[in-house]
Amino acid sequence: MSGAAASGAPRRGSGLAVTLVVAGLLCQEVGASLAVLLFDDVGPLGMVMLRLVFSAVLLLLIARPSLRGHSRRGWTSVLAFGLVLATMNGLFYLALERLPLGVTVTIEVLGPLALSIIASRRASALVWAGLALVGVAALGGGGWDRLDPLGVVFALGAAASWALYILASARVGAEFPKLDGLALAMAFGALLALPFGIVQAGGALLRVDLLAVGAAVAVLSSTIPYALELIALRRLPAAAFAILMSLGPATASLAGFVLLGQHLSWLEVVGIALVIAASIGAVLTAARARPAASASSGESGGSGPASEEPPLAEPLG
């Protein structure tokens, strides 16, 4: 997360920033909906390949990263980040093939939620963990038989990958300037996804219309949201940004209903709302923990900055 977002001070133009974050979330879920529509033609792994390849091309053109002057540790971080990106996207789209969009995103958000709860190191965080568990239980409100078990496993794997994504992106951000590390990691992730995508999509990859939609998914799911979030982060405190990002399950459910005709039971809607509430609570708990940690560090004579909890932010991959 950028230094501008690390401060809790209010920023000018916060109303515009909120609009940008919401617009980014909507673009992301429209992109996911388009991806679902391509599953019959290219399959989920073919879609992963298209998204990562086009995202990598765009990032490489924008960042133009240098391949020289990086340490072995830096390259190791990039390769690990690329592996996480490919795994996270693969599991997410495999889950989307079997579960509604809103349910998939709700389960996926448990990854960064768990990371925020663990990082807060406060007993009160257990309340949000319990609330999230109740929310997940409510997702099976229409009967767990409505949720494909393998799809749930894939979504939980995507959740774990999202938590790893946050940790890996922090390491890459510390080793590489600007977008260089992300661009290189995305390129490596695309190479990893390439053979799986080619095998599953086959001759469909020769169709220009499918390639065009794949490019649109990459732009909607990665490029536009990332650009909007960068602008918003300069105008919003970190906690406010993370709270807005926790609304992802709601925007995903809306997109699934409007674009894919995916209807949810009232208990599933309650479950999504509970997970969102748990995410917001965890973010606020972590935000309150930062000043306390800083004060404690100052009193003990420590000169280093207090460690920041991982933000509950939307992954780019």
Side-chain angles (χ1 to χ4, degrees):
M1 184 167 290
S2 69
S7 169
R11 287 157 174 75
R12 299 167 66 180
S14 58
L16 173 61
V18 170
T19 302
L20 293 176
V21 173
V22 173
L25 286 172
L26 290 174
C27 282
Q28 201 157 43
E29 305 313 338
V30 169
S33 299
L34 285 177
V36 171
L37 296 176
L38 286 187
F39 282 176
D40 288 340
D41 295 301
V42 301
L45 297 182
M47 191 61 246
V48 171
M49 183 202 69
L50 289 175
R51 176 175 173 178
L52 291 181
V53 166
F54 283 115
S55 295
V57 169
L58 287 171
L59 280 170
L60 290 172
L61 289 175
I62 294 171
R64 298 181 181 276
S66 173
L67 299 179
R68 299 180 179 180
H70 305 301
S71 66
R72 180 177 180 180
R73 177 181 174 182
W75 281 113
T76 301
S77 298
V78 159
L79 296 180
F81 193 20
L83 176 61
V84 169
L85 279 169
T87 303
M88 179 178 64
N89 279 275
L91 292 171
F92 178 72
Y93 281 126
L94 286 170
L96 270 187
E97 187 182 28
R98 297 169 177 269
L99 299 174
L101 178 57
V103 172
T104 303
V105 173
T106 301
I107 295 176
E108 189 194 26
V109 84
L110 295 178
L113 170 59
L115 198 58
S116 292
I117 290 171
I118 293 170
S120 70
R121 299 175 184 175
R122 289 195 166 197
S124 59
L126 296 177
V127 174
W128 309 121
L131 190 62
L133 288 177
V134 173
V136 171
L139 285 178
W144 279 100
D145 55 328
R146 293 184 67 244
L147 299 182
D148 183 279
L150 187 55
V152 172
V153 171
F154 286 143
L156 289 173
S161 299
W162 192 351
L164 293 175
Y165 166 91
I166 293 173
L167 299 175
S169 64
R171 291 182 180 179
V172 168
E175 295 283 343
F176 290 81
K178 300 179 181 179
L179 298 177
D180 289 18
L182 176 61
L184 293 171
M186 191 72 75
F188 180 61
L191 287 175
L192 292 177
L194 202 59
F196 299 97
I198 291 175
V199 168
Q200 190 165 78
L205 295 175
L206 300 177
R207 289 177 51 183
V208 176
D209 58 328
L210 295 181
L211 293 177
V213 177
V217 170
V219 171
L220 286 168
S221 298
S222 299
T223 310
I224 293 178
Y226 185 66
L228 295 179
E229 288 163 16
L230 275 181
I231 298 172
L233 277 168
R234 298 190 181 99
R235 295 168 170 80
L236 281 177
F241 175 80
I243 287 172
L244 287 170
M245 295 304 294
S246 69
L247 298 177
T251 57
S253 299
L254 179 62
F257 174 72
V258 174
L259 300 176
L260 301 174
Q262 296 175 341
H263 296 267
L264 300 175
S265 70
W266 69 270
L267 269 178
E268 287 171 329
V269 173
V270 169
I272 290 172
L274 290 176
V275 171
I276 291 173
S279 300
I280 293 173
V283 167
L284 293 176
T285 298
R288 284 194 295 267
R290 280 195 200 97
S294 298
S296 174
S297 176
E299 290 169 2
S300 62
S303 58
S307 61
E308 291 190 11
E309 293 75 11
L312 187 62
E314 192 70 23
L316 305 175

